[in-house]
Amino acid sequence: MIYLDYNSTTPLDPKVRGAMLPYLEHDFGNPSSLCALGRHAAQALVQARVELASLLGAKAQEMIFTSGATESIVTAFHCAMSAYPLKRHIVTSAGEHSATLNIAHQYAERGYDVTFLPLDTHGILSLDMLEEAITPQTALVSLLWANNETGVIFPIEKIAEITQRKNVSLHLDAVQAVGKIPINLATLPVDYLSLSGHKIYAPKGIGALYVHRHACYQPLFPGSQENARRGGTENMASCVALGKAAALAQDLLMTEMPRESGLRDYLEEEIMRKIPHVSRNGEKNNRLANTSNLRFEGIEAAQALLLFDQAGLCASAGSACNTKSKHPSHVLAAMGRTPQEAASSLRFSLGRFTTQEEIDHALNIIVPVITKLRLL
Ligand SMILES: Cc1ncc(COP(=O)(O)O)c(C=O)c1O
């Protein structure tokens, strides 16, 4: 199978698997217990936290292990909104991942005022609109760092400058940015940042929340673990895995970015050369190196994915979390695409294990499938 769906999830890196295995076997200690096994686990947890913090330019004590980005995002909302109980306004964008949209809608149902900013036709957020949307009532701005469907990267430095000037908490969903672009939180005024293990070659069900040392914190799960910031025994093997995955991502970042963008650009250029009426969704330059979102006029993405799958190619039509939904991509809708345009769009996302041979093979599947669908 050729796997071009890395934005939906990544395989486990064999080195990550190697690092986590002992914690599923003989190193089974509870990091909160005082015996030798427990102390060993506690040490491993310290190391994993340091490795993760280092990838982000953060301090180890600013990292909290969670069950994944969805929990991190919900916790960030909980922290920011309970810190300012009289401020009942949230600003986010209409192109966020469903993890953010769901919690934002839940706050709206509870009577909070939520602004969903639109994106422009290139998938970019207007900084003027953001600035205008923030009022004295705003407690939180929550935005993606990089969009999971188009790969478009938001201008986070400028966004953080606005939220800092307006004295509003900023949460970033950095799930797709972490490990794919350089991040340095030491120089960026961000209060909360969410990330997920299964997008950086660690297992599913592990993630982390960065909380700036001066940002308000209110646990969602009270308890003594994670320095009394998240109750529940740590998922040791997965925490170790996330630390190892972060260390690997840091080592590989500068070689992987140009390698993956080279393969991605080749894939796009060949598709556009061989198939007429294909256009790109999202800005060309300012996007993740691994992501390509293309619109193939006159086809149904769902049918193309079925034929790709039969031929051994795995791609997607947007976020994996929305594939069961009958509605075409809300991200493309936020960018002004019609439902028909969105329903003819496909996402190819590459990763660490993608090779030139795989891209050539993928092209040999994509071109005939699209041609066949157009004839039908
Ligand atoms: C941008 C983005 N945010 C949040 C999530 C949710 O992450 P998790 O699966 O760890 O809860 C995902 C995963 O698909 C994502 O791509």
Side-chain angles (χ1 to χ4, degrees):
M1 186 194 60
I2 300 161
Y3 187 72
L4 295 184
D5 201 14
Y6 279 79
N7 283 12
S8 120
T9 196
T10 55
L12 199 61
D13 188 298
K15 291 188 181 128
V16 171
R17 182 174 180 274
M20 73 186 287
L21 273 185
Y23 297 89
L24 293 170
E25 295 169 349
H26 42 86
D27 285 332
F28 59 87
N30 183 329
S32 299
S33 51
L34 295 176
C35 65
L37 265 180
R39 291 199 306 275
H40 177 76
Q43 253 170 18
L45 204 55
V46 167
Q47 188 189 330
R49 210 183 299 280
V50 167
E51 287 169 327
L52 186 58
S54 162
L55 177 65
L56 305 178
K59 295 195 182 313
Q61 65 269 27
E62 293 173 316
M63 303 308 307
I64 302 167
F65 287 109
T66 65
S67 66
T70 302
E71 181 192 321
S72 304
I73 293 167
V74 170
T75 308
F77 269 68
H78 176 66
C79 292
M81 301 319 287
S82 41
Y84 306 101
L86 297 179
K87 295 189 173 191
R88 295 178 66 84
H89 179 224
I90 297 167
V91 177
T92 185
S93 92
E96 295 300 297
H97 187 270
S98 57
T100 296
L101 294 180
N102 289 339
I103 186 67
H105 282 299
Q106 204 179 80
Y107 273 93
E109 278 159 25
R110 286 194 232 150
Y112 287 77
D113 186 13
V114 185
T115 303
F116 296 94
L117 295 168
L119 304 178
D120 75 8
T121 148
H122 303 290
I124 299 166
L125 185 80
S126 153
L127 294 176
D128 290 341
M129 273 194 195
L130 171 66
E131 190 144 5
E132 274 165 34
I134 298 172
T135 72
Q137 286 306 306
T138 311
L140 175 68
V141 169
S142 180
L143 292 169
L144 280 163
W145 192 317
N147 189 283
N148 47 302
E149 294 194 21
T150 59
V152 171
I153 300 170
F154 279 174
I156 292 306
E157 288 78 11
K158 290 186 184 137
I159 289 170
E161 187 269 311
I162 294 172
T163 50
Q164 188 181 41
R165 181 159 36 81
K166 298 241 172 188
N167 201 17
V168 174
S169 295
L170 175 62
H171 165 251
L172 296 177
D173 171 351
V175 168
Q176 299 291 344
V178 170
K180 292 183 187 148
I181 55 172
I183 291 181
N184 186 7
L185 294 176
T187 57
L188 204 63
V190 171
D191 299 278
Y192 311 98
L193 178 144
S194 296
L195 64 96
S196 178
H198 73 106
K199 312 290 180 171
I200 60 165
Y201 309 89
K204 294 158 191 64
I206 184 74
L209 176 65
Y210 159 88
V211 182
H212 187 277
R213 55 201 171 282
H214 299 314
C216 296
Y217 192 77
Q218 184 73 35
L220 199 56
F221 306 141
S224 61
Q225 290 85 356
E226 294 295 285
N227 297 321
R229 291 184 296 174
R230 181 184 185 265
T233 305
E234 285 89 349
N235 179 353
M236 272 307 300
S238 293
C239 293
V240 169
L242 185 53
K244 180 70 181 174
L248 282 175
Q250 195 164 8
D251 285 349
L252 295 174
L253 183 64
M254 288 308 169
T255 46
E256 270 305 298
M257 279 201 312
R259 194 190 74 85
E260 288 177 27
S261 71
L263 289 176
R264 187 271 317 269
D265 291 348
Y266 170 75
L267 175 72
E268 274 190 352
E269 280 157 23
E270 284 300 291
I271 288 177
M272 289 180 173
R273 194 170 68 79
K274 292 181 173 162
I275 310 175
H277 309 299
V278 179
S279 53
R280 186 180 302 102
N281 290 313
E283 217 212 10
K284 181 171 190 277
N285 297 321
N286 199 20
R287 63 183 166 146
L288 298 173
N290 77 321
T291 309
S292 173
N293 192 315
L294 299 176
R295 180 179 165 235
F296 297 83
E297 246 173 68
I299 65 130
E300 282 286 332
Q303 289 177 342
L305 289 177
L306 206 69
L307 295 180
F308 287 171
D309 192 41
Q310 283 167 6
L313 168 65
C314 180
S316 83
S319 168
C321 307
N322 294 332
T323 43
K324 292 196 183 118
S325 140
K326 290 203 175 59
H327 305 289
S329 156
H330 68 276
V331 175
L332 298 180
M335 290 162 60
R337 302 288 186 277
T338 63
Q340 199 192 7
E341 285 169 344
S344 57
S345 297
L346 291 165
R347 179 185 71 184
F348 304 98
S349 48
L350 288 60
R352 188 176 293 170
F353 303 114
T354 308
T355 62
Q356 177 70 48
E357 292 69 39
E358 283 186 311
I359 297 295
D360 283 324
H361 195 150
L363 284 163
N364 288 337
I365 296 172
I366 296 164
V367 177
V369 163
I370 301 294
T371 312
K372 181 175 164 184
L373 284 177
R374 286 216 177 127
L375 286 174
L376 288 174

